[in-house]
Amino acid sequence: MAWNPKVIVVGIDGSEQSKHAAQAAADLARKNSARLRIVTVVRPPEGWWGIVGSPPPADVLTASMSEAQQGILDSTVEDLDLEGVEWSASEEIGEPASALADVCREHEADLLVVGRRGAGLVERLVMGSVADRVAHYAPCPVLIVP
């Protein structure tokens, strides 16, 4: 029996690995006539670690981060070969692994694709990799692309 995913979600963060994951997801979507959902996640500010002066209000910082993530989303989509692929893109807010799992549930995804690494070294050491967490929480199979 052949597996034929109909809905594929890919998480992107602007890293080279996430760009490779996005292209792999687009290629799989094209091959399987699947719908592709391209998702980037903005992590809300949990505190301020500024060097000098007072921190900006949380809503201003969140808006700035959201704008940066939208740029990542736009840039990734622009660089992808999406010919023949039915796709949509969105920006979510929250913890990346949980947000990606929620998107998979919401869209009844058959596959979640993520890059192996994306975050900086400090974030990986403190929080673990998003790829590792989604492998545990996703409601569907996960493809981790190097």
Side-chain angles (χ1 to χ4, degrees), residues 61-72:
L61 188 56
T62 299
S64 175
M65 293 171 65
S66 178
E67 190 174 302
Q69 286 299 103
Q70 185 62 49
I72 288 170

Side-chain angles (χ1 to χ4, degrees), residues 26-144:
D27 293 343
L28 283 168
R30 183 179 305 102
K31 180 179 180 183
N32 291 286
S33 299
R35 286 178 285 133
L36 177 63
R37 180 92 177 159
I38 305 165
V39 180
T40 187
V41 181
V42 176
R43 187 187 307 269
E46 296 173 11
W48 178 256
W49 297 275
I51 297 172
V52 295
S54 61
D59 60 333
V60 171
L61 188 56
T62 299
S64 175
M65 293 171 65
S66 178
E67 190 174 302
Q69 286 299 103
Q70 185 62 49
I72 288 170
L73 188 60
D74 293 344
S75 173
T76 300
V77 166
E78 185 178 300
D79 292 343
L80 285 177
D81 174 8
L82 293 168
E83 186 175 338
V85 176
E86 179 186 336
W87 65 276
S88 61
S90 69
E91 176 188 304
E92 306 295 325
I93 296 178
E95 189 279 318
S98 297
L100 289 170
D102 289 346
V103 169
C104 287
R105 279 187 209 86
E106 179 184 341
H107 294 277
E108 298 180 357
D110 298 303
L111 178 66
L112 171 60
V113 182
V114 294
R116 181 177 51 195
R117 280 179 271 157
L121 177 61
V122 172
E123 185 176 351
R124 282 198 310 271
L125 290 173
V126 173
M127 304 178 71
S129 78
V130 171
D132 181 59
R133 288 194 309 280
V134 297
H136 289 89
Y137 299 119
C140 58
V142 177
L143 172 61
I144 300 173

